[in-house]
Amino acid sequence: MKIDILTLFPEMCNEVLNTSIIGRAKAAGLVDIECHNIRDYTEDKHRHVDDTPYGGGTGMIMQAQPIYDCYMDVTKDRDCHFVYMTPQGKTLTQDKVRELASYENIVVLCGHYEGVDERVIEELCPEEISIGDYVLTGGELPALVLCDSVCRMLPGVLRNEEAFEKESHFSGLLEYPQYTRPPVWRGREVPEVLLSGHHQNIEKWQNEQSISRTKEKRPDLYDSYCSHIIDK
Ligand code: ADE
């Protein structure tokens, strides 16, 4: 899979993308992620990429031309799924992450300042995705959230294939509690069943914990989990 990020701050994205699991996946050739500086495409002699909004108001608007030219250059000769990170988009869910992970090529546009000239959105018709109902200063952190969640779904990225199947949200349930050494810490003991070596009992306990945790912490997820079971 190839992910191209269109941004005014490529160095900010690269720092994160070259770290930890995603950095390892890139180095192993499991995913190719490239950041493109929108400023490199401006036709403005002062290299400006933004201007004041028509109709007045505070803040600066990213101009259509550099974004459009950057997008056209990055996508030439390729079919790409185009995503624009914006608080106006549909909220990212694990289902959407799974869908995005099935594309061969994704291009992600990060907005900045007060927004992007609407005409480039009309012209290129990206899928608009939000990472939640709060407003950030730019689309870079949301793009990184999207990349991280998509990359961990790709074959070989997580060491244990099971890791992502059993985890939070994959089955619509929250993850069960996890423990590691020592068996007693500040008087708190690891649940006995986990030390028993009895795999069937362990799995049963973990399943029950997932269900009771979801019911307690995320009643919204629990309700949709229950209706899903009834539908089946
Ligand atoms: N840009 C600014 N805030 C955002 C959000 N919550 N999701 C996606 N893109 C954004």
Side-chain angles (χ1 to χ4, degrees):
M1 170 181 233
K2 170 99 196 267
I3 304 177
D4 292 277
I5 303 178
L6 318 186
T7 169
L8 289 172
F9 301 98
E11 64 293 346
M12 170 181 174
C13 300
N14 281 325
E15 186 71 27
V16 174
L17 296 168
N18 290 330
T19 304
S20 187
I21 296 177
I22 307 305
R24 206 171 62 210
K26 280 178 69 192
L30 298 170
V31 61
D32 184 6
I33 310 178
E34 203 178 337
C35 298
H36 305 267
N37 194 339
I38 296 169
R39 196 178 297 280
D40 291 343
Y41 292 84
T42 180
E43 288 172 350
D44 181 86
K45 62 175 186 285
H46 303 294
R47 291 193 22 108
H48 289 160
V49 287
D50 59 332
D51 211 328
T52 52
Y54 280 120
T58 51
M60 299 292 270
I61 307 298
M62 282 173 73
Q63 291 172 301
Q65 175 273 318
I67 294 173
Y68 182 77
D69 288 358
C70 181
Y71 174 84
M72 294 312 272
D73 186 33
V74 165
T75 59
K76 62 176 182 282
D77 320 320
R78 282 188 310 149
D79 251 357
C80 296
H81 185 72
F82 187 30
V83 171
Y84 170 39
M85 305 313 302
T86 165
Q88 297 183 22
K90 284 227 182 87
T91 309
L92 187 65
T93 61
Q94 192 62 35
D95 280 343
K96 178 51 76 178
V97 167
R98 222 172 284 138
E99 182 202 317
L100 292 172
S102 71
Y103 290 107
E104 203 51 46
N105 299 295
I106 302 182
V107 177
V108 186
L109 171 64
C110 307
H112 230 271
Y113 309 121
E114 292 306 306
V116 163
D117 189 313
E118 191 64 24
R119 292 168 296 181
V120 75
I121 303 303
E122 287 168 10
E123 184 74 19
L124 298 175
C125 299
E127 176 176 21
E128 301 188 6
I129 297 181
S130 163
I131 61 160
D133 287 340
Y134 43 85
V135 182
L136 300 166
T137 56
E140 281 74 17
L141 291 172
L144 292 169
V145 167
L146 183 142
C147 279
D148 189 287
S149 59
V150 168
C151 287
R152 67 187 283 291
M153 299 299 289
L154 301 176
V157 170
L158 296 184
R159 287 216 178 94
N160 177 357
E161 278 288 332
E162 264 193 321
F164 70 86
E165 280 179 31
K166 285 199 175 168
E167 256 178 70
S168 224
H169 290 275
F170 199 90
S171 58
L173 289 173
L174 299 182
E175 209 182 345
Y176 47 78
Q178 302 261 34
Y179 305 85
T180 187
R181 271 186 277 275
V184 183
W185 177 78
R186 291 175 71 89
R188 295 171 188 275
E189 293 179 9
V190 170
E192 211 177 312
V193 63
L194 298 179
L195 309 175
S196 69
H198 193 299
H199 296 296
Q200 242 176 333
N201 286 354
I202 291 173
E203 202 159 317
K204 182 167 173 283
W205 180 87
Q206 289 172 332
N207 222 356
E208 287 164 358
Q209 287 291 317
S210 276
I211 292 171
S212 58
R213 273 200 153 189
T214 310
K215 191 172 177 183
E216 182 196 324
K217 296 189 185 203
R218 290 290 305 273
D220 56 325
L221 284 182
Y222 180 73
D223 286 347
S224 54
Y225 170 76
C226 289
S227 54
H228 193 68
I229 299 259
I230 292 164
D231 285 347
K232 275 190 178 173

